[in-house]
Amino acid sequence: MTRRLTLAVSQSHTLLTTLATLLALNATTRTAAEQGVHLLLFPEAYLGGYPRTCNFGSAVGNRSDAGRDQFLRYFQNAVDLGDTPRGAGQDWVDRKLEAAKGKEFRGDGVREELEQVAKDTGVFLVVGVVEKAGGSLYCSVVYVCPKDGCIGKRRKVMPTGAERLVWAQGSPSTLRAVTTTISGVRITLAAAICWENYMPLLRFSLYSQNVNLYLAPTADARDTWLPLMRTIACEGRAFVLSANQCTRRKHLPDWIKDSPKTEANNGIINGSHDYKDKPLQRESSVTKTEDNHEISWPSPETKADLKTGSLDDELPVQPLNAGSDFATSGDQDRHKMNVDSVSKEVRRRSSTVSKLPDKHLLALPVSTTGKPPVLSDENPSSSTEEEFVCRGGSCIIGPTGDVLAGPLWEVDNGSLLIVRDVDFEDCERGRLDLDVAGSYSRNDAFSLEVEGLDITPPP
């Protein structure tokens, strides 16, 4: 007898308001229900938003007033689930926390809205949110059962890089896995958020709880993400779902696109010394080629025109080695690469070489059309609104590391579903030769303890 469920991930991007995003989540979940989906994962920070490209007016030793205004906007867009800054754990799940006088529930009603969507559609929801509690923000994931409502919530224990400026650290106790039964199939699920998946001990704390559905909402759209998801699935002998937003620059709110410059970026160092008149590095201007490559030009005292073609004898170019995939085209053009003869086996992109009047060399990438690159005066800081700032990459992986669906790169229609029917008995089949927290662990010699977290399998 098989234990089959239909799983899905939503490659959705946050909309300009939390209300609009909630309405989109509702519509996406209803579409998933129509396709027979039992469980649906949304990306990291889907509600509240991932502040991609935003610097919040900050540099080491300095924060600007405009950046504080940005944080205010971000804080106001975050959701209030009614939890405490420390995290109330099971008391929050069981609604034992006191509500304000005259109010039916704690928080802003988002928890109740998610529970209603799950109840109406019959879909188990796992949603990435930016949660505010007290005066801090947390990157969180909430587990919402159609029957029992919120059965768990966890907060990211290790925000990455600049995320640490705006997100507080969550408690490791929230890494506790939860169990549920869906259509007669018992599953043990837990989430690791974005680069928490690069923490081997954190991963092992989830493997130790016998998780068979491993959830990885993320903001990482690098090519290295898919191999990581395959490794986790293979290590844990679990199904892995990863959801990321696919976002274009036009999808970012105005308060992000109008990011302020920090005083440090304007030449103020330590709040006192102004080096505007004495730049520490050579000034330059930037242009873009037609295939979106950026070129930084040195700024001569007088504006120089670009001259392309072969190089003169003042700046000799070493001849190419014999047997090269590049060919020369006669004595007259002996210094010019013939890009038409480039072998398809050459992995490094070819280029043409040009010289500026101030004798700087410039290597221009050959465009995919075979035509010389054309330069424009467009400043890259005003990139087109259609430019991707996050490429997506959502996927579903099987318990032996096989890619079952995805990854989807640069596919954006607002809310895209990846759906896969799976058999959870495949997890036990995989344990024949690998159980990293049991038969393949040598737990007589190696052990892990996590402060405040029980890593034994839940009952």
Side-chain angles (χ1 to χ4, degrees):
M1 176 180 177
T2 61
R3 293 185 287 138
R4 306 193 74 89
L5 291 177
T6 302
L7 309 177
V9 299
S10 175
Q11 186 158 290
S12 307
H13 64 260
T14 304
L15 302 182
L16 295 182
T17 67
T18 301
L19 176 59
T21 309
L22 271 172
L23 292 173
L25 179 147
N26 190 339
T28 300
T29 305
R30 292 181 184 280
T31 299
E34 293 171 359
Q35 298 182 37
V37 169
H38 296 100
L39 183 144
L40 174 60
L41 172 67
F42 285 88
E44 176 183 19
Y46 179 56
L47 294 179
Y50 188 84
R52 192 174 295 278
T53 76
C54 187
N55 60 26
F56 292 95
S58 295
V60 175
N62 184 70
R63 268 75 57 195
S64 71
D65 290 341
R68 296 184 189 280
D69 288 339
Q70 284 187 310
F71 181 74
L72 173 63
R73 295 286 301 277
Y74 190 48
F75 192 90
Q76 290 172 339
N77 286 335
V79 302
D80 183 356
L81 299 177
D83 203 354
T84 64
R86 187 174 181 177
Q90 195 61 38
D91 284 346
W92 176 83
V93 172
D94 295 337
R95 296 183 178 274
K96 291 183 178 179
L97 300 180
E98 182 182 1
K101 185 177 180 179
K103 288 202 171 183
E104 187 178 343
F105 48 78
R106 290 173 62 94
D108 57 12
V110 169
R111 171 181 178 169
E112 289 70 25
E113 178 65 24
L114 293 175
E115 291 176 335
Q116 190 63 49
V117 172
K119 181 179 179 180
D120 291 346
T121 61
V123 177
F124 191 107
L125 296 177
V126 183
V127 185
V129 305
V130 177
E131 172 194 8
K132 56 188 171 187
S136 294
L137 299 179
Y138 300 86
C139 179
S140 302
V141 169
V142 61
Y143 311 119
V144 191
C145 174
K147 179 182 177 182
D148 300 321
C150 289
I151 62 172
K153 174 173 65 70
R154 63 151 313 219
R155 292 172 172 173
K156 193 173 187 178
V157 300
M158 190 69 258
T160 303
E163 294 172 0
R164 293 195 282 272
L165 177 67
V166 292
W167 292 346
Q169 294 179 336
S171 170
S173 65
T174 66
L175 285 163
R176 185 62 174 164
V178 299
T179 60
T180 189
T181 300
I182 303 176
S183 294
V185 179
R186 179 180 169 83
I187 59 174
T188 303
L189 60 94
I193 306 171
C194 204
W195 273 27
E196 288 182 332
N197 290 282
Y198 281 115
M199 301 171 68
L201 297 182
L202 187 147
R203 297 204 309 262
F204 188 77
S205 74
L206 302 186
Y207 301 154
S208 297
Q209 297 177 66
N210 202 32
V211 166
N212 58 5
L213 182 57
Y214 187 111
L215 305 159
T218 189
D220 189 341
R222 296 169 179 83
D223 292 338
T224 51
W225 187 254
L226 180 64
L228 176 62
M229 295 297 99
R230 298 187 67 182
T231 297
I232 291 171
C234 188
E235 279 184 340
R237 291 299 196 249
F239 287 101
V240 172
L241 273 57
S242 184
N244 194 4
Q245 303 191 36
C246 188
T247 309
R248 297 178 188 267
R249 189 169 297 277
K250 66 182 181 182
H251 299 142
L252 299 175
D254 289 341
W255 62 265
I256 287 183
K257 289 190 285 188
D258 297 336
S259 292
K261 293 182 178 180
T262 64
E263 290 183 356
N265 291 336
N266 286 332
I268 305 298
I269 298 181
N270 293 331
S272 57
H273 302 294
D274 190 347
Y275 289 95
K276 288 182 181 178
D277 297 329
K278 298 179 182 179
L280 298 179
Q281 59 183 6
R282 188 168 186 178
E283 295 179 352
S284 63
S285 57
V286 181
T287 55
K288 290 177 68 177
T289 65
E290 63 178 3
D291 53 357
N292 233 22
H293 286 77
E294 297 178 4
I295 301 170
S296 180
W297 303 93
S299 297
E301 293 182 1
T302 58
K303 186 175 181 180
D305 295 327
L306 172 66
K307 298 179 181 179
T308 59
S310 61
L311 303 177
D312 59 24
D313 292 336
E314 295 180 12
L315 294 163
V317 176
Q318 294 296 325
L320 298 169
N321 296 330
S324 167
D325 288 318
F326 295 97
T328 56
S329 56
D331 292 340
Q332 183 177 2
D333 296 321
R334 65 187 180 88
H335 297 305
K336 182 178 180 181
M337 297 179 184
N338 183 354
V339 298
D340 294 331
S341 64
V342 178
S343 167
K344 293 182 179 179
E345 300 300 321
V346 177
R347 292 183 178 272
R348 179 171 292 181
R349 192 165 187 174
S350 57
S351 62
T352 58
V353 181
S354 303
K355 189 184 75 169
L356 301 177
D358 59 356
K359 297 185 180 181
H360 285 79
L361 295 182
L362 177 68
L364 297 174
V366 176
S367 68
T368 54
T369 63
K371 300 178 182 179
V374 177
L375 302 181
S376 71
D377 292 330
E378 179 185 3
N379 189 319
S381 64
S382 58
S383 300
T384 64
E385 291 289 277
E386 297 300 319
E387 174 189 4
F388 284 101
V389 294
C390 184
R391 300 171 52 232
S394 303
C395 59
I396 299 176
I397 313 295
T400 55
D402 297 327
V403 179
L404 303 181
L408 292 181
W409 299 110
E410 298 185 358
V411 178
D412 163 48
N413 67 350
S415 180
L416 185 69
L417 287 175
I418 306 175
V419 181
R420 185 74 182 195
D421 180 55
V422 304
D423 181 4
F424 275 86
E425 288 190 341
D426 287 344
C427 298
E428 279 80 31
R429 292 185 178 98
R431 300 294 174 91
L432 169 67
D433 51 4
L434 186 67
D435 178 9
V436 295
S439 62
Y440 215 84
S441 70
R442 284 303 305 271
N443 53 23
D444 59 322
F446 303 98
S447 63
L448 172 67
E449 293 183 0
V450 182
E451 187 70 26
L453 175 66
D454 178 8
I455 63 172
T456 60

